[in-house]
Amino acid sequence: MTLKVYTSLLLLSLVNSVWTRTVRQVYDELYPEHWSHYTSECPQECFCPPSFPNALYCDNKGLKEIPAIPARIWYLYLQNNLIETVSEKPFVNATHLRWINLNKNKITNSGIESGVLSKLKRLLYLFLEDNELEEVPAPLPVGLEQLRLARNKISRIPEGVFSNLENLTMLDLHQNSLLDSALQSDTFQGLNNLMQLNIAKNSLKKMPLSIPANTLQLFLDNNSIEVIPENYFSAIPKVTFLRLNYNKLSDDGIPPNGFNVSSILDLQLSHNQLTKIPPINAHLEHLHLDHNRIKSVNGTQVCPVSIAIAEDYGFYGNIPRLRYLRLDGNEIQPPIPLDIMICFRLLQAVVI
């Protein structure tokens, strides 16, 4: 199970690694006889690498409008410009687009022509980070796999905006202006294959409602969350990476077995108000509890199995899998209690 989860997460992260930038360094050594063919339809403001004919680089050009996109283009780079509007005209011939990067522009919701995005039928990746959006743009292409909307001014998510996005695996809404009222019970309805949901750096006071059941990574750092509802994680039984750093969680805000969840492998609770280590599951591998108010650690109480079982090498399958434990920034004085080491025999690093 663990291997399968990490494989899925690795595939998710690999899509973020694009090597097309290296084309700029070598294009002048490759296929000079093809230059005229590709440059004839290349927008004057942009760069069309002959060795990568499906890519169009229009980034960092001071553009205020999107130029006409040639039909052959799959990958479109428009980041770091002054673009305010996204209209249908530049995309008339661009029916094969898979990837659009419009990060760091000046795009508003009113500047996006109605229906222009949904007409890009083959689009898989849409990046609109660092713009001036106040709500999630709609409608969106039904085939999208990644939607990145970080660092906008989004305070509203239109009803049903995600309902047809069954292929979406990543939704990034971090560093916006979302309140609890923006996340209704049906907000994420339709995201049946979502793997990563990032709502960090917003203004949430409660855990969001109805997280898609297949979510593996849930990032809620830098909010004002105080309480974990009872059995909250039973609705997301595959969650593996959970980040709740920089919130307002106290001991009273966590149910007795709130984090005793077998699917969670990486749990981050740094910079909260905890005075003790909450009960954890034997499957947990990484635990971040730095910068809380913890004064002491009792290995017998913290150990997810009995110390007697942990001491018995014959029960290797039952030995807790914790490998990394971070406790610095608390009021704990070294040395590390012996019963911690007896319990967590697989520990590779303890920061105290």
Side-chain angles (χ1 to χ4, degrees), residues 22-80:
T22 58
V23 172
R24 290 182 180 273
Q25 301 169 7
V26 299
Y27 79 95
D28 55 344
E29 300 175 8
L30 299 174
Y31 314 116
E33 67 275 12
H34 295 161
W35 290 357
S36 60
H37 171 73
Y38 294 123
T39 56
S40 63
E41 60 177 1
C42 183
Q44 184 177 0
E45 312 94 324
C46 305
F47 170 69
C48 299
S51 56
F52 193 37
N54 297 123
L56 179 62
Y57 291 95
C58 307
D59 51 308
N60 295 287
K61 301 294 185 182
L63 300 180
K64 294 185 178 181
E65 296 180 351
I66 299 174
I69 310 303
R72 70 171 191 274
I73 298 304
W74 287 24
Y75 306 99
L76 177 59
Y77 298 88
L78 288 160
Q79 66 270 27
N80 292 303

Side-chain angles (χ1 to χ4, degrees), residues 135 177 241 321 330:
E135 63 180 54
S177 303
F241 291 82
R321 301 178 187 175
N330 284 284

Side-chain angles (χ1 to χ4, degrees), residues 173-184:
L173 288 162
H174 88 270
Q175 200 166 331
N176 276 284
S177 303
L178 292 170
L179 300 170
D180 296 318
S181 58
L183 305 180
Q184 300 299 314

Side-chain angles (χ1 to χ4, degrees), residues 323-327 336 340-341 347-352:
R323 289 171 167 80
Y324 180 88
L325 176 61
R326 185 170 177 183
L327 291 166
I336 299 167
I340 287 286
M341 306 310 295
L347 266 176
Q348 298 174 356
V350 180
V351 184
I352 192 168

Side-chain angles (χ1 to χ4, degrees), residues 237-248:
K238 297 181 181 180
V239 64
T240 305
F241 291 82
L242 177 62
R243 292 198 332 218
L244 280 158
N245 304 318
Y246 291 95
N247 276 282
K248 296 182 179 180

